[in-house]
Amino acid sequence: LMLTACAGTSDLLPASQTLASSETQSDTANDPKAELRKATDYWGKQYASKQTDKMAALNYAKNLKALGDKRQAMLVLQDAMAIHQRDAEIAGELGRLAVEFDQLGLASHMLQIADVPEKPDWKVISARGTLLAKQGQHKAAIPYFERALSLAPNQPSIMNNLAMATAVCAALVKRPV
């Protein structure tokens, strides 16, 4: 009798809407990238409405990168850098992406702008070491990795890169001429 009485009220959702609603919530819970996509959409709209906004550009690019759309992130950062030409934060993000895409000249220029002694960023410093290592300058890369490691102790990526650069240098010393 109580179920029949409840079914007659108009404030309850039809069964099909309740099912669809719970499926949507379940899909969001099962999809860890759902929130990231929402954030990317949000920042994309912010960026589209005001492309001169540094934070909108940076956040949009970072979210695109996290979603795996690194090429689009790079384009956003290049546009932002054209507007904010000496901005260390934008230069750091752009420089690190340029290293990934083997655009070494752009990477070098951007990472030099981004490496501000008053505000050291281990990611930028490590990227400078990675850039040198990619250019075969492993010995020159080591101080950058050591400096980055002093800012971010126990960071696995830095320890790995430092170990690799040191190993390459050791192998070059032992190799007969």
Side-chain angles (χ1 to χ4, degrees):
L1 287 172
M2 291 182 74
L3 289 174
T4 307
C6 289
T9 63
S10 61
D11 63 335
L12 295 176
L13 293 173
S16 62
Q17 284 184 324
T18 304
L19 180 59
S21 173
S22 66
E23 284 176 0
T24 303
Q25 290 173 349
S26 176
D27 288 347
T28 303
N30 291 333
D31 183 6
K33 287 196 173 188
E35 287 299 315
L36 181 57
R37 280 193 292 275
K38 283 174 36 179
T40 304
D41 289 343
Y42 172 81
W43 285 112
K45 289 175 185 168
Q46 295 297 311
Y47 175 70
S49 70
K50 190 171 181 186
Q51 293 187 348
T52 58
D53 182 349
K54 171 189 164 181
M55 292 315 298
L58 271 171
N59 287 324
Y60 185 41
K62 287 177 181 181
N63 280 280
L64 285 167
K65 184 178 173 183
L67 277 175
D69 195 352
K70 293 179 181 183
R71 292 216 182 271
Q72 184 62 34
M74 189 147 172
L75 292 174
V76 170
L77 290 168
Q78 286 173 324
D79 289 346
M81 198 66 205
I83 296 166
H84 307 278
Q85 296 179 2
R86 300 295 303 167
D87 187 272
E89 197 172 4
I90 295 171
E93 289 293 324
L94 179 55
R96 291 193 347 257
L97 271 175
V99 169
E100 285 187 47
F101 286 115
D102 288 326
Q103 294 184 10
L104 305 184
L106 175 63
S108 178
H109 180 66
M110 290 297 111
L111 293 172
Q112 284 176 352
I113 292 170
D115 194 0
V116 180
E118 305 84 46
K119 192 177 176 186
D121 179 346
W122 71 266
K123 292 177 185 177
V124 168
I125 298 163
S126 181
R128 290 189 79 183
T130 301
L131 174 65
L132 289 167
K134 278 189 170 212
Q135 295 171 325
Q137 300 176 43
H138 300 282
K139 187 173 183 177
I142 291 173
Y144 286 97
F145 294 135
E146 290 172 338
R147 187 171 145 218
L149 197 57
S150 73
L151 295 170
N154 302 318
Q155 181 63 33
S157 63
I158 303 170
M159 290 190 290
N160 179 64
N161 289 340
L162 177 58
M164 292 297 291
T166 303
V168 169
C169 286
L172 291 174
V173 169
K174 291 181 181 180
R175 185 172 42 176
V177 181

